Amino acid sequence: MARRDLHVPFEEKDEAKLLGARWDAQARCWYVPTGIPDEPFARWFQPREQRPPTPPDYSALPLNLLIEQPAIVEATAECWSCREGTPVLTVAGRDEDGDLAIVTGIQSVDAPLGRALAERPYYRLAFSRTTQQWAFANLCTSCGALQGDFFLHNEPDGPFFALHNAEPHLRITELAEPVRVATDDPAYDLE
Ligand SMILES: [Zn+2]
């Protein structure tokens, strides 16, 4: 595996060094020595001007979508970036027929769903460069790369392409009570 080069601003070099980054004097570049996990250096993977803005505070958003029969659907995906296996989940709701439908564009969740998701910290508010928006998304537990909803939900190879109970690769946790989320997905008929 190639070494991971970092974009460390001059004023953050001591911090990077403390975490174990090395300086390549010839290339004039900090890098992660091979053999040590690069996750602690994630904030320097991209040049500062390309880094996402700080997360918005969505806690005051109205929880505009009621999920009557909520479920957390879990699977394992191969990270597109590091190729490691990483857990991924989607929040879903059952319709009158008992079929599961994915809930997308989640920006905030109520306390009961928040508690259920707290046990699964790889699913959290993240900035998507594809959509240029903040929403709950799956981040690789090895490298932190965002696992895009489009692949997970819409590609035939994606783990959530077919959400049937019988799918052996899915782990479905039904939540006991209805939950509410804030979503900006225009697909919903929102309150
Ligand atoms: Zn990864």
Side-chain angles (χ1 to χ4, degrees), residues 123-186:
Y123 182 77
R124 59 180 184 269
L125 205 57
F127 184 76
S128 163
R129 280 171 212 289
T130 313
T131 63
Q132 292 288 310
Q133 282 181 328
W134 288 87
F136 274 73
N138 291 281
L139 303 173
C140 173
T141 52
S142 295
C143 76
L146 189 143
Q147 311 296 303
D149 279 354
F150 187 81
F151 167 70
L152 298 177
H153 300 169
N154 303 105
E155 296 274 13
D157 287 349
F160 302 133
F161 184 67
L163 278 197
H164 304 303
N165 292 327
E167 293 286 329
H169 67 284
L170 298 178
R171 231 175 43 250
I172 300 173
T173 307
E174 313 277 350
L175 303 183
E177 301 288 334
V179 298
R180 284 184 168 274
V181 302
T183 172
D184 67 345
D185 193 319

Side-chain angles (χ1 to χ4, degrees), residues 79 81-84 140 142-145 147:
C79 173
S81 176
C82 74
R83 300 289 164 201
E84 295 289 323
C140 173
S142 295
C143 76
Q147 311 296 303

Side-chain angles (χ1 to χ4, degrees), residues 78-109:
E78 184 189 277
C79 173
W80 59 268
S81 176
C82 74
R83 300 289 164 201
E84 295 289 323
T86 184
V88 289
L89 71 80
T90 186
V91 174
R94 285 194 189 279
D95 63 19
E96 310 85 66
D97 299 325
D99 293 328
L100 283 166
I102 289 173
V103 180
T104 53
I106 296 177
Q107 296 175 317
S108 182
V109 301

